[in-house]
Amino acid sequence: MHVTHPIEALKHQLDALRHTDKKGFMRLNTPCQVGNLMGWLNVQSVYPRLYWQSRDAGAVEYAALGVVRAFDSLAALQADLATLADSGGEQPDYFGGMAFDPGTPGWEHFPGCHFLLPRIELRRQQAGVMLSLNLRFDDCCPEAEIAQARACLAALEEEQRLPCWLPNVYQREDYPAQKEWAASVEQVTHPDHLSHTPKVVLSRGDVPNHT
């Protein structure tokens, strides 16, 4: 039995949309065999690259690539979702979040809110893995949107195993050494020293070295 490659399957679905008059959001799906979503994400050259996993055991896991649409305003995002809901079509999954305190020093030039709709989604659920391609036909002709989507599909790479990281070997060095530490303790606890410095807090630092 001939099995169509997932990327080719999505390209065939794209070809069928060349003369579509559909407006709004569309998601094309095809089953996919990927063992490790992080291994797949690691070899991709399309940016941004996103990973998200639900806290619930056995729940959904996502790896996502590229951008179809992005918002730096929660109000603009809600308005866009409301427009799509009015059209009665499928709702997209936006990824992102909001800053707890956007006024924190050092973060003034970053948006307090950022959400994006990725071009590619790899979604794992209990039923299996699904490769999805997201499309929006609001602001450009179908041919331009399809061309951008095909370029993203053409850039996808096959999954590879994540590189193995060798463990670091650590050696401990204490400063000061035990002899100097004991001498310092004896000095600061001597009655003559305590007569003018009644409270002393001793500390010692551990400096890890690794090879």
Side-chain angles (χ1 to χ4, degrees), residues 28-102:
L28 306 181
N29 301 303
T30 187
C32 185
Q33 295 293 327
V34 173
N36 187 303
L37 268 63
M38 290 296 291
W40 177 85
L41 191 65
N42 184 59
V43 298
Q44 306 305 327
S45 60
V46 179
Y47 284 86
R49 301 185 299 184
L50 307 173
Y51 178 82
W52 183 85
Q53 182 177 14
S54 171
R55 295 180 180 180
D56 300 330
V60 65
E61 178 185 10
Y62 282 93
L65 302 168
V67 179
V68 177
R69 180 166 292 189
F71 294 97
D72 288 338
S73 163
L74 184 59
L77 171 62
Q78 292 172 334
D80 184 69
L81 292 175
T83 300
L84 292 175
D86 292 340
S87 67
E90 185 178 4
Q91 290 286 299
D93 294 321
Y94 277 88
F95 293 80
M98 301 179 64
F100 290 105
D101 186 3

